[in-house]
Amino acid sequence: GQQVMQIPQYQHVQEGEDFTTYCNSSTTLSNIQWYKQRPGGHPVFLIQLVKSGEVKKQKRLTFQFGEAKKNSSLHITATQTTDVGTYFCAVNFGNEKLTFGTGTRLTIIP
Amino acid sequence: DAGVTQSPTHLIKTRGQHVTLRCSPISGHKSVSWYQQVLGQGPQFIFQYYEKEERGRGNFPDRFSARQFPNYSSELNVNALLLGDSALYLCASSPGTSYGYTFGSGTRLTVV
């Protein structure tokens, strides 16, 4: 079935270092969403990207949608302990079903 | 405004029993979706309802069913529970299918 691959699966960084997670699909996507799930919590919507090559920023977070609309990335600058959690990309393949990526679990070393 | 509310928050059931999980979406949101999240994995799509009609169904057995009521609240029913049904069940609502989803805090189901 259609799926999205996310890398890396885990990332451990020193506080203050940058972090990036990547999401890849074999098919062209109409849009892509990003969610953050804190340990023990529920997914929280961060952003939706729609346009080819789109770049959006939210404070220290930068989201990109690839030119071919087959991949996306989330970059966090100067990580803080509040950034801990699992970051998921999610896509709708046109069948009313939001498919989540495998997630990248970020841990911060103070 | 209240967010997406789910009840109960925790539930312990025995194999073979039936369970009903409930979800109230954000006011004005007509789309409700259900997800199953097993520990260490991403949410897996179960159902989506929009305007009380089923719009999508994931790869789950017929033991799983759902419905949406006129006030857009929703129920997820699981029959003949198996140990493997133990998971966090998440409900999400959105204004429509092209928007980001707001998730509830989930129902933690344990089947023993």
Side-chain angles (χ1 to χ4, degrees):
Chain A
Q2 294 168 313
Q3 56 184 343
V4 284
M5 299 305 297
Q6 207 172 334
I7 56 171
Q9 187 175 2
Y10 300 95
Q11 186 83 60
H12 311 284
V13 300
Q14 287 281 147
E15 187 174 9
E17 291 183 337
D18 292 356
F19 159 78
T20 305
T21 174
Y22 301 89
C23 193
N24 298 289
S25 169
S26 57
T27 59
T28 302
L29 306 171
S30 57
N31 61 66
I32 191 164
Q33 299 177 2
W34 285 92
Y35 292 80
K36 175 185 178 181
Q37 186 171 20
R38 294 179 183 271
H42 55 275
V44 174
F45 174 73
L46 296 176
I47 208 159
Q48 176 169 270
L49 305 173
V50 179
K51 300 177 182 176
S52 168
E54 188 170 18
V55 178
K56 288 189 175 181
K57 292 190 176 184
Q58 291 178 352
K59 297 182 180 178
R60 295 178 295 103
L61 277 61
T62 302
F63 303 85
Q64 288 190 315
F65 203 5
E67 293 289 343
K69 300 182 73 174
K70 290 186 176 182
N71 56 72
S72 180
S73 65
L74 158 59
H75 179 83
I76 303 178
T77 303
T79 54
Q80 300 174 359
T81 54
T82 53
D83 295 325
V84 164
T86 301
Y87 292 84
F88 293 99
C89 60
V91 302
N92 188 317
F93 288 110
N95 55 2
E96 309 293 351
K97 167 185 170 181
L98 191 65
T99 299
F100 280 76
T102 46
T104 297
R105 183 174 175 181
L106 173 64
T107 56
I108 308 284
I109 306 167
Chain B
D1 283 343
V4 177
T5 57
Q6 291 187 244
S7 63
T9 55
H10 295 82
L11 202 52
I12 299 175
K13 289 286 191 178
T14 305
R15 277 178 298 174
Q17 285 189 314
H18 161 271
V19 69
T20 297
L21 310 181
R22 295 178 174 83
C23 172
S24 292
I26 289 174
S27 178
H29 285 192
K30 299 179 180 179
S31 173
V32 171
S33 299
W34 287 95
Y35 290 82
Q36 180 196 66
Q37 187 173 28
V38 174
L39 195 63
Q41 298 182 17
Q44 297 295 312
F45 174 79
I46 310 176
F47 287 107
Q48 191 210 22
Y49 279 79
Y50 182 76
E51 286 276 22
K52 293 162 285 181
E53 289 189 1
E54 183 183 301
R55 289 292 187 90
R57 174 184 286 254
N59 296 324
F60 282 80
D62 292 343
R63 299 184 294 106
F64 288 76
S65 63
R67 54 180 175 168
Q68 187 177 32
F69 299 98
N71 66 354
Y72 303 114
S73 67
S74 178
E75 281 183 356
L76 175 69
N77 294 282
V78 186
N79 292 322
L81 286 166
L82 303 174
L83 295 179
D85 295 331
S86 296
L88 179 66
Y89 288 85
L90 295 160
C91 173
S93 77
S94 72
T97 56
S98 300
Y99 297 83
Y101 288 25
T102 301
F103 282 82
S105 298
T107 294
R108 174 75 59 186
L109 172 65
T110 302
V111 182
V112 297

